[in-house]
Amino acid sequence: MGVLKSIYFGIVLIIGKIILKLTAIMPGVSGTTWPGGIAGMLKKNILSSFKYGDNTRVIVVTGTGGKTTTTGMISQLVKSSGKSICTNVEGANMYRGVATAFIGSSKLSGRINADYIVLEVDERYLAMVCREVKPQILVVNNILKDQSQRNGEPGVILGKISSAINDSMLLVLNGDDPNVASLGKGRKNVRYFGVENQKGAGIETGVTAVSSPCPVCGGAIEFEYDNLLNIGKFKCGKCGLMADQTVNRVSFDKATGILSFMDKNYKAKFFTTDFMYCYSAMLTVADAEGIDSQSIQKSIDAFKLPEGRVEVLKVGDKKINYLRIKQETPVTLQSALNVVARDRKPKIVVFDLSEVVDFTPNYTGMYYAYDCNFGDLPHNNVQRYICMSKVICYDTATRLVLEGVSKDDITVLPTADYTLLLNELEKYDCKNVYLLTWMHSYYDCVNSIEKYEKRMEQ
């Protein structure tokens, strides 16, 4: 970098750091994206201007679901092993979010003194980020249907991730996902992770069953078992693409809470299938980096979910179990449905699904819910279904009816007002409530509960 370019980068970096300080005290302004966004406008390819040591390890995590959780687990792993880290663990995973993390962690010279740089990166920005930060390890969780109005179908995302890969990277791939597993075909520097068959996770059949074409030949993928929306032990009947024999799978004993991986046992905190895949990815990275079992267990114990993912809210005599879904992403809705179905106690289930607002030609719907299996809910002690939304509440109710739920068991609330939901919940004796919605609606619910409780106190 020439002298003038270095001076200019230094000025831009100072501006970014000033904005970072300002956003910390400015309400309603994102401190995780603005500094990097503005700095990136002033300095093209700004990530390539930062410097770090030759021994600094760069790990990038991408994929449809579980990026933030996996990044958080790996980041905690680094910290628990006594290493220093630069990360965007808050979930700001586009280019400007990565740039903000670098601005916050660097000295005025642009040098980042960290043993590890661990980054969550959106699939569409992956090639751009990888060109500039040059990771040694790339973790790919899954490639599934996700916000199709923006991302198209999974093959589009598969192509974008594939374009970011080079032979210098160690690929840590979900060997149970046909799309992800295909990225390792013909490559030597690959480690695969997976999850053993989860009890009760059979192969879904019927008109709403999800199909999975082979990403290599287009043939039909056949599953020995399907853990989560076409993620499991698979084989293509046409070209032979299959879950690699070297897949390191985790198994979990729900009775003891013990997670087993490569003949070692760990006491785990989170038990759902999607968390199992995040644990498996983290443990594979730990093995690749030579991190000891004691540090791994310490990291599992210390890891905390970011706020707004899974929460328990108390209102009156009721407990609202909030399960976050990522808008328009079937796998997150399916994960939430699985959690609800595993609870055998009487319960009320509230669906506040977000509509898909498409680009021109405009169309609004909730078709992503048809990729999910609702079939276990009618047999698991649900006392009442409440479908709320200003736009798609009746669409959600229709989806339940098609799954066999009686219309008499469904209440439709054509509103986004959570005060009206709380009033509706007063009508029922059942104290166990599940709320399936996205993060913005969760905060609306929190605010409504605060107002509701003040009104009750008067």
Side-chain angles (χ1 to χ4, degrees):
M1 190 186 303
V3 175
L4 291 179
K5 288 184 178 180
S6 296
I7 293 172
Y8 181 68
F9 168 65
I11 294 170
V12 172
L13 181 56
I14 290 171
I15 292 171
K17 287 183 174 291
I18 291 171
I19 295 171
L20 189 63
K21 293 288 187 182
L22 291 175
T23 54
I25 59 175
M26 294 171 63
V29 178
S30 175
T32 61
T33 58
W34 273 56
I38 294 173
M41 291 171 60
L42 296 173
K43 177 76 169 69
K44 188 178 179 181
N45 301 327
I46 191 170
L47 295 180
S48 61
S49 297
F50 290 91
K51 304 298 179 186
Y52 29 90
D54 293 336
N55 295 325
T56 299
R57 302 286 290 168
V58 182
I59 302 174
V60 168
V61 180
T62 195
T64 302
K67 292 189 294 292
T68 302
T69 300
T70 302
T71 303
M73 286 183 175
I74 294 173
S75 297
Q76 186 59 60
L77 175 72
V78 169
K79 295 173 187 174
S80 296
S81 64
K83 305 294 186 180
S84 56
I85 187 172
C86 163
T87 183
N88 61 336
V89 74
E90 295 87 355
N93 58 26
M94 298 183 186
Y95 187 94
R96 58 184 178 268
V98 175
T100 298
F102 277 23
I103 289 168
S105 296
S106 67
K107 296 182 177 296
L108 289 176
S109 63
R111 186 170 185 83
I112 299 172
N113 291 326
D115 297 312
Y116 279 85
I117 296 174
V118 181
L119 302 172
E120 172 189 347
V121 180
D122 181 273
E123 307 91 287
R124 294 174 306 145
Y125 291 85
L126 181 66
M128 184 187 306
V129 171
C130 286
R131 277 196 302 269
E132 299 183 37
V133 304
K134 297 177 173 55
Q136 286 91 13
I137 298 178
L138 175 63
V139 181
V140 187
N141 279 351
N142 44 62
I143 302 173
L144 302 167
K145 290 183 180 179
D146 177 32
Q147 301 183 44
S148 56
Q149 81 285 9
R150 185 180 71 149
N151 292 326
E153 50 87 30
V156 174
I157 300 303
L158 177 61
K160 291 184 180 298
I161 293 177
S162 180
S163 69
I165 294 174
N166 60 61
D167 291 336
S168 67
M169 300 173 179
L170 169 64
L171 300 182
V172 176
L173 304 178
N174 185 343
D176 290 346
D177 182 328
N179 286 315
V180 176
S182 72
L183 292 170
K185 188 176 177 63
R187 297 183 180 275
K188 296 181 180 179
N189 200 16
V190 184
R191 293 200 183 202
Y192 296 95
F193 64 90
V195 175
E196 292 289 353
N197 190 4
Q198 300 290 284
K199 286 186 178 180
I203 305 300
E204 181 189 354
T205 59
V207 287
T208 60
V210 184
S211 60
S212 180
C214 175
V216 175
C217 72
I221 292 290
E222 301 167 357
F223 284 90
E224 181 180 320
Y225 58 83
D226 184 7
N227 281 331
L228 184 64
L229 284 187
N230 286 341
I231 298 178
K233 194 172 183 179
F234 72 91
K235 182 177 181 179
C236 173
K238 185 177 179 181
C239 75
L241 178 72
M242 62 187 297
D244 194 276
Q245 299 303 308
T246 63
V247 173
N248 290 310
R249 290 191 172 88
V250 299
S251 60
F252 181 67
D253 186 334
K254 294 179 182 178
T256 62
I258 296 297
L259 187 75
S260 298
F261 178 80
M262 296 181 69
D263 298 324
K264 294 180 181 178
N265 295 330
Y266 304 95
K267 188 73 174 178
K269 295 167 62 177
F270 305 104
F271 314 131
T272 60
T273 304
D274 49 338
F275 278 114
M276 291 298 104
Y277 278 101
C278 295
Y279 278 132
S280 189
M282 180 272 287
L283 289 165
T284 303
V285 170
D287 182 65
E289 293 296 283
I291 297 176
D292 63 276
S293 298
Q294 185 176 358
S295 296
I296 292 172
Q297 184 62 67
K298 185 178 177 182
S299 75
I300 292 174
D301 293 340
F303 173 73
K304 294 180 180 179
L305 280 176
E307 182 185 3
R309 303 277 165 164
V310 178
E311 305 287 348
V312 176
L313 305 172
K314 296 291 183 66
V315 53
D317 62 349
K318 290 181 170 57
K319 179 179 73 172
I320 299 178
N321 304 280
Y322 159 70
L323 302 174
R324 182 208 180 198
I325 64 170
K326 184 180 176 185
Q327 59 272 30
E328 308 117 30
T329 305
V331 68
T332 59
L333 176 57
Q334 186 65 65
S335 298
L337 291 170
N338 293 348
V339 171
V340 176
R342 276 191 286 268
D343 183 353
R344 304 296 180 179
K345 299 188 294 294
K347 53 190 167 288
I348 297 170
V349 183
V350 181
F351 292 96
D352 182 6
L353 304 186
S354 56
E355 65 272 15
V356 177
V357 182
D358 211 342
F359 305 122
T360 305
N362 293 320
Y363 172 79
T364 298
M366 45 78 73
Y367 50 81
Y368 61 93
Y370 286 85
D371 286 332
C372 299
N373 179 13
F374 286 68
D376 289 338
L377 288 186
H379 315 293
N380 282 282
N381 220 351
V382 179
Q383 307 294 297
R384 172 62 50 175
Y385 300 87
I386 300 177
C387 302
M388 64 179 291
S389 167
K390 291 177 68 174
V391 180
I392 58 168
C393 52
Y394 289 97
D395 301 78
T396 306
T398 299
R399 179 69 185 91
L400 293 172
V401 170
L402 290 174
E403 204 67 63
V405 177
S406 170
K407 294 180 182 179
D408 295 335
D409 294 332
I410 302 173
T411 297
V412 177
L413 294 179
T415 180
D417 187 345
Y418 272 82
T419 301
L420 297 180
L421 171 65
L422 297 177
N423 292 338
E424 178 66 25
L425 291 175
E426 287 182 358
K427 300 177 182 179
Y428 308 102
D429 293 329
C430 183
K431 298 176 174 57
N432 186 25
V433 180
Y434 282 90
L435 170 62
L436 280 61
T437 191
W438 64 319
M439 192 178 298
H440 289 280
S441 294
Y442 160 73
Y443 288 116
D444 289 342
C445 183
V446 171
N447 293 333
S448 295
I449 289 175
E450 292 176 355
K451 295 176 183 177
Y452 177 88
E453 291 179 335
K454 289 180 181 178
R455 178 164 59 87
M456 291 296 99
E457 292 172 358
Q458 294 176 352

